[in-house]
């Protein structure tokens, strides 16, 4: 029927978005809003004026029009801008099609942010807007709802509209429409809040006198009209309606559940609050009637639970200011821009509040392209003590989903706050936790779903974790570890073993006690005493002590080949009861069962490379690496071989734990104290690059604090004041004219080569520069070392000076002569033979090192010992000498000090003279100065050096070659 069709057309919903505007009037005038009809049309026109007032407050002529678009340019805020924009919509647009934007614009006008007065134009007084034609009106309320009451009279149904206004219900016929959008009562203009209400009101005013539906058409009317109107207006059946299906059964008392549905709306996310009544879901912003079967199975209309629905709506409105404004829109949902909605700072908090209130949120992961998990991260951590590590149980949950440690580690490593979960969603880690997890993973290794932090890294546990995350027993253990390592002197001292055939000095007993404390705690360490302070005897005493603590006391000692006889000799002298097996030479044994019968298995680094497969199958009590700088290169086969060995514990022994850079220390401690310094890349980033390259004293201090408990370093000056005086001096050897000429030619050639080299090629060409520097150092020794370069003579000022020194000193003193170049020693050897001065000679090719050393030490006729720096810089005890000559300076002063320590050690009774031979005005003099500026690294890190070669850049190389 036509009536039903007409009403159905009214149900077409429309929506729109409104703009903004602003402005003011002068203090002596007021602003007024005039509502009027266009002159030739009945549509609403809104105009703004400035007007003066009389003493009694009435407006007076003249009225000055305000152009809203001009006023918008001076708007003071967004509300005023919206106001002026809304006014402009109702000016000069009489043919503009009506739409929901009209309502949204009128709402901005009614809000009246500038507090203008409202007036109605009376065209009967004057077509023009003048003071006399204006009638003051009162701004009323915004009408948001119409209620339709269904009443049965005889065989007809009456549809009676009423309005809800300020909590009261008023019959529609008690008000009159004005300009279509307003209902007027007692001079109050009430604005209809929705465009559909405007159309409905207009429809019902056209029904004379009342809308009635014949009884036989009512079912059709219910199904086709009322059921759809329910989403827009409230429908009530009064007591005259007797049909079962329409009898109101009272308030719904069953189970209700608040829901929020999410869905895509182009570039927006639609947020639809819904209340589930039993099995029926009703949008909260709709007026839809609740129909459910009653106890008898008959369909009845129930009252919705306004209290719970209002609570749901209020909880949603609290989460974003835009929602409150959207209440005025003719929509059944709320919305947010997609980017705004998916901002985790918003939706995680909003969802958490809704869940706390028992509201279920649905559809989040069905939003286009969205893989985020809607739950905040719930993080719990518990740390307790394990066997050789600390166990950290980390539970990171997002709702019912738990993030695995490997996924957490991947996210942290990539500095990514999104963690992949097994349901395909991504949890969001709080920013403050990313830094914490980075620390956890750096200090530990993943073992299943636990983190294992090595016990040796115990001090980081308190740094990384809060007290309430630590197990009670763990806290006590940490206190004990800290006390023992920081203050080992406070714990009971061990007595030197009775089997030791030596009287230990006080500092050596302290060293033995330190080793014993580490053993009690299960930690390895580095014995880094100065050369000559008796590191070997401390280790032998410790091995003897192990007899009292372990049942299987088989210990492996790995040494440079040159030190095998030294260890054998010291075992015979100091601990003859130790059962020693030397694995060296072609006829060495390779029997696992035989190893068990020995307490000390002695082998060389070279032999270890060949026997690593055999030795790695045996589990030793301890592994001791002497001169452990031999494994400083972590990429070397030596390092890999020693790391493949198994032992209860490990100790490295060296007088120079740092020869070149901090990576030397890392290699040795990563063997002795696994886990202490993390992995190689972490160490490079945290310490190696800042300390070695950028000379960071802060990082050096941090590294020193980290390794201090595990390195024992004593200098001769600290613990052996009884050693005789040592004097170090430089003897300058000016080159003759011919030698200087050779040097100058090569120096200029190298300097020009460096100047021509592009900076980009510097790293690739460093080896050629070093080769050129080596030639210059050889020329300083003797031009003969160049072999094919004898153009300008063959005299050497160093050889002449050295031979003069030997001639004067050798009758009363034994002398050591060190050079890096074996060919230089050969030249000196030839001159000694000519002068018939007895000498011994030791290089890397010397077979019988022990015999050579013994003859020098014990034969009074042998006055001079020629030694290559590489072959004799470690492992020799040459206390019969009291003069040492260093023929050529080396970049690293620690290497020179090792050579001097061959005679300046325990057992020396004479005043030691250490003399460096330097050619003035050459690279050698610059090297000596450079040494002084590069000595600090060892002191900073070990507290007793630096890779000078790595630290020198192109500019520094040129400075070395510049004449003073």
């Amino acid at each position: 029927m036509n009536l039903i069709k007409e009403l159905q057309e009214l149900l077409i919903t429309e929506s729109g978005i409104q703009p903004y505007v602003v402005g003011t009037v002068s203090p002596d005038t007021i602003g007024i809003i005039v509502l009027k009809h266009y002159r030739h049309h009945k549509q609403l026109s809104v105009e703004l004026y400035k007007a003066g007032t009389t003493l009694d407050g009435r407006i007076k002529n003249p009225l000055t029009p305000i152009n809203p678009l001009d006023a918008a340019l001076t708007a003071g805020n967004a509300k005023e801008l919206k106001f002026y924009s809304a006014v402009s919509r109702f000016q000069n647009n009489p043919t503009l099609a009506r739409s929901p934007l009209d309502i949204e614009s009128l709402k901005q006008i009614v809000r009246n942010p500038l507090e203008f007065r409202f007036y109605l134009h009376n065209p009967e007084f004057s077509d023009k807007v003048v003071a006399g034609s204006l009638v003051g009106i009162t701004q009323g309320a915004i009408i948001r709802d119409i209620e339709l009451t269904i009443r049965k009279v005889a065989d007809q149904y009456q549809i009676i509209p009423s309005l809800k206004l300020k909590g009261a219900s008023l019959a529609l016929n008690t008000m009159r429409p004005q300009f279509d959008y307003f209902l007027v009562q007692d001079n109050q203009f009430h604005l209809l809040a929705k465009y559909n209400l405007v159309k409905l009101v207009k429809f019902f005013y056209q029904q004379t006198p009342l809308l009635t539906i014949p009884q036989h058409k009512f079912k059709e009317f219910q199904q086709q009209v009322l059921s759809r109107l329910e989403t827009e207006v409230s429908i009530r059946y009064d007591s005259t309606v007797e049909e079962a299906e329409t009898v109101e059964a009272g308030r719904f008392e069953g189970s209700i559940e608040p829901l929020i549905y999410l869905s895509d709306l182009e570039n927006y996310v639609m947020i639809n609050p819904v209340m589930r009544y039993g099995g029926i879901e009703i949008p909260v912003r709709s007026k839809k009637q609740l129909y459910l079967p009653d106890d008898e199975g008959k369909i009845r209309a129930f009252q919705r639970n306004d209290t719970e629905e209002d609570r749901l709506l209020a909880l949603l409105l609290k989460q974003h200011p835009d929602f409150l404004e959207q209440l005025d829109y003719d929509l059944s949902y709320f919305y947010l821009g997609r980017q705004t909605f998916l901002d985790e700072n918003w939706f995680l908090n909003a969802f958490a509040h809704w869940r706390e209130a028992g509201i279920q949120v649905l559809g989040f992961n069905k939003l286009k392209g969205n893989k985020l998990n809607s739950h905040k991260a719930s993080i719990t951590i518990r740390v307790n003590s394990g066997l050789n590590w600390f166990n950290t149980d980390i539970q990171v949950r997002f709702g019912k989903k738990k993030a695995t440690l490997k996924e957490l580690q991947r996210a942290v490593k990539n500095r990514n706050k999104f963690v992949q979960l097994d349901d395909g969603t991504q949890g969001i880690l709080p920013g403050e936790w990313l830094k914490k997890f980075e620390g956890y993973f750096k200090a530990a290794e993943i073992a299943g779903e636990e983190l294992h932090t090595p016990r040796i890294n115990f001090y980081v546990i308190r740094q990384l974790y809060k007290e309430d995350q630590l197990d009670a027993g763990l806290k006590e253990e940490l206190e004990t570890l800290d006390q023992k390592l920081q203050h080992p002197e406070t714990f009971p001292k061990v007595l030197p073993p009775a089997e030791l055939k030596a009287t230990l000095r006080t500092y050596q007993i302290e060293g033995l006690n330190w080793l014993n404390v580490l053993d009690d705690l299960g930690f390895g360490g580095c014995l880094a005493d100065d050369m000559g302070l008796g590191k070997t005897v401390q280790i032998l005493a410790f091995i003897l002590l192990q007899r009292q603590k372990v049942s299987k006391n088989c210990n492996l000692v790995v040494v440079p080949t040159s030190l095998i006889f030294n260890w054998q000799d010291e075992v015979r002298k100091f601990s003859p009861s130790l059962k020693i097996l030397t694995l060296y030479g072609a006829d060495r044994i390779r029997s696992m069962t035989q190893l068990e019968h020995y307490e000390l298995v002695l082998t060389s680094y070279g032999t270890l490379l060949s026997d690593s497969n055999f030795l790695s199958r045996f589990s030793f009590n301890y592994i001791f690496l002497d001169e452990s700088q031999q494994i400083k290169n972590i990429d070397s086969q030596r390092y890999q071989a020693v790391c493949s060995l198994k032992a209860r514990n490990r100790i490295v022994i060296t007088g120079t734990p740092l020869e070149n850079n901090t990576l030397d220390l890392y290699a040795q401690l990563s063997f002795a104290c696994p886990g202490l310094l993390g992995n190689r890349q972490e160490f490079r980033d945290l310490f190696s690059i800042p300390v070695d390259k950028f000379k960071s004293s802060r990082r050096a201090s941090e590294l020193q604090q980290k390794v201090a408990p595990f390195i024992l370093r004593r200098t001769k000056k600290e613990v052996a004041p009884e050693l005789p005086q040592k004097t170090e001096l430089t003897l300058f050897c000016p080159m003759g004219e011919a030698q200087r000429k050779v040097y100058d030619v090569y120096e200029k050639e190298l300097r020009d080569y460096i100047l021509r080299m592009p900076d980009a090629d510097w790293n690739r060409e460093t080896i050629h520069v070093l080769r050129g520097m080596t030639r210059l150092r050889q020329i300083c020794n003797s031009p003969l070392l160049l072999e094919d370069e004898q153009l300008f003579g063959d005299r050497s000022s160093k050889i002449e000076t050295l031979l003069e020194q030997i001639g004067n000193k050798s009758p009363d003193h034994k002398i050591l002569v060190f050079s890096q170049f074996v060919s230089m020693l050969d030249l000196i050897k030839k001159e000694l033979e000519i002068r018939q001065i007895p000498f011994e000679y030791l290089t890397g090719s010397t077979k019988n090192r022990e015999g050579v050393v013994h003859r020098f030490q014990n034969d009074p006729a042998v006055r001079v010992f020629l030694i290559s720096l590489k072959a004799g810089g470690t492992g020799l005890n040459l206390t019969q000498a009291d003069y040492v000559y260093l023929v050529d300076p080396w970049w690293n002063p620690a290497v020179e000090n090792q050579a001097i320590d061959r005679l300046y050690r325990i057992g020396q009774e004479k005043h030691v003279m250490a003399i460096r031979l330097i050619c003035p005005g050459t690279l050698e003099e610059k090297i000596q100065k450079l040494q002084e500026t590069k000595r600090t690294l060892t002191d900073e890190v070990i507290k007793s050096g630096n890779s000078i070669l790595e630290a020198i850049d192109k500019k520094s190389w040129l400075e070395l070659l510049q004449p003073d």
Side-chain angles (χ1 to χ4, degrees), residues 346-539:
W346 181 79
F347 82 80
L348 288 178
N349 289 320
F351 283 26
H353 287 135
W354 292 338
R355 288 194 187 98
E356 286 177 15
I359 301 171
Q360 187 177 0
V361 183
L362 302 171
F364 181 70
N365 286 120
K366 291 183 179 179
L367 298 178
K368 184 178 179 181
N370 173 43
K371 295 295 183 182
L372 300 178
N373 191 285
S374 63
H375 292 80
K376 281 186 174 183
S378 171
I379 302 172
T380 58
I381 295 175
R382 196 66 190 165
V383 190
N384 54 57
S385 185
L387 182 61
N388 294 315
W389 53 78
F390 300 110
N391 298 325
T392 302
D393 178 43
I394 297 179
Q395 300 283 331
V396 180
R397 295 188 176 276
F398 299 89
K400 296 180 179 180
K401 294 299 176 181
K402 178 178 178 294
T404 65
L405 282 184
K406 287 187 177 179
E407 290 297 341
L408 282 173
Q409 185 184 45
R410 182 179 288 113
V412 171
K413 184 177 181 181
N414 295 329
R415 300 184 184 279
N416 184 1
K417 62 185 175 182
F418 301 107
V419 183
Q420 190 66 43
L421 305 176
D422 60 10
D423 64 347
T425 64
Q426 294 178 330
I428 301 175
L429 275 178
E432 67 271 17
W433 278 96
L434 276 175
K435 188 71 175 177
K436 293 180 182 180
F437 279 120
E438 185 178 5
Y440 301 159
F441 288 120
K442 280 185 177 180
E445 292 183 356
I446 293 179
E449 283 303 303
E450 282 188 336
L451 285 182
H452 285 179
T453 304
R455 285 183 75 252
I456 201 164
N457 249 342
F458 70 92
Y459 66 95
V460 305
I461 296 296
R462 289 196 186 277
Q463 293 176 359
L464 294 175
Y465 302 102
K466 296 180 180 178
E467 283 290 312
D468 60 1
Q469 295 171 336
L470 306 181
D471 182 75
L474 174 60
K475 294 179 185 178
E476 185 177 341
E477 182 179 357
L478 293 176
E479 291 291 342
T480 301
L481 289 172
D482 185 64
Q483 184 66 19
K484 280 194 173 185
L485 282 176
Q486 298 298 333
H487 306 285
E489 70 281 356
T490 63
F491 285 80
K493 304 294 188 297
V494 294
L495 296 175
E499 304 94 326
L500 187 68
K501 304 303 180 184
T503 300
L504 297 182
R505 296 168 181 263
T506 302
Y507 73 88
Q508 292 173 327
I509 294 176
E510 291 174 355
L512 181 61
N513 192 62
W514 176 77
L515 289 167
N516 193 60
V517 169
L518 288 184
D519 184 63
D520 287 343
L521 300 175
F523 296 154
C526 174
L527 183 58
D529 287 343
D530 258 356
M531 296 292 179
L533 291 185
K535 294 188 290 293
T536 303
V537 73
Q538 293 177 67
I539 296 299

Side-chain angles (χ1 to χ4, degrees), residues 165-185:
L165 187 63
K166 297 180 180 179
S169 181
L170 301 176
L172 183 62
N173 59 16
T174 63
M175 311 176 80
R176 61 182 175 83
Q178 182 82 33
F179 304 119
D180 291 335
Y181 303 107
F182 295 94
L183 293 177
V184 181
Q185 185 185 51

Side-chain angles (χ1 to χ4, degrees), residues 1-5 8 213-228:
M1 64 186 191
N2 293 335
L3 178 61
I4 292 177
K5 183 176 180 181
Q8 285 177 325
I213 307 294
Q215 182 174 341
H216 70 280
K217 290 288 185 179
F218 185 70
K219 286 275 186 189
E220 182 183 359
F221 182 76
Q222 267 189 321
Q223 294 171 359
Q224 297 187 24
V225 177
L226 293 183
S227 63
R228 298 181 64 186

Side-chain angles (χ1 to χ4, degrees), residues 85 256 878 919 955:
S85 297
I256 60 176
L878 302 171
C919 289
K955 179 182 177 183

Side-chain angles (χ1 to χ4, degrees), residues 25 36 52 136 200 283 295 347 351 355 358 380 444 471 474 508 598 625 656 675 862 936-937:
V25 293
K36 61 186 290 268
L200 279 171
D295 294 339
F347 82 80
F351 283 26
R355 288 194 187 98
T380 58
D471 182 75
L474 174 60
Q508 292 173 327
Y598 295 94
L625 301 185
T656 53
V862 180
T936 58
L937 180 59

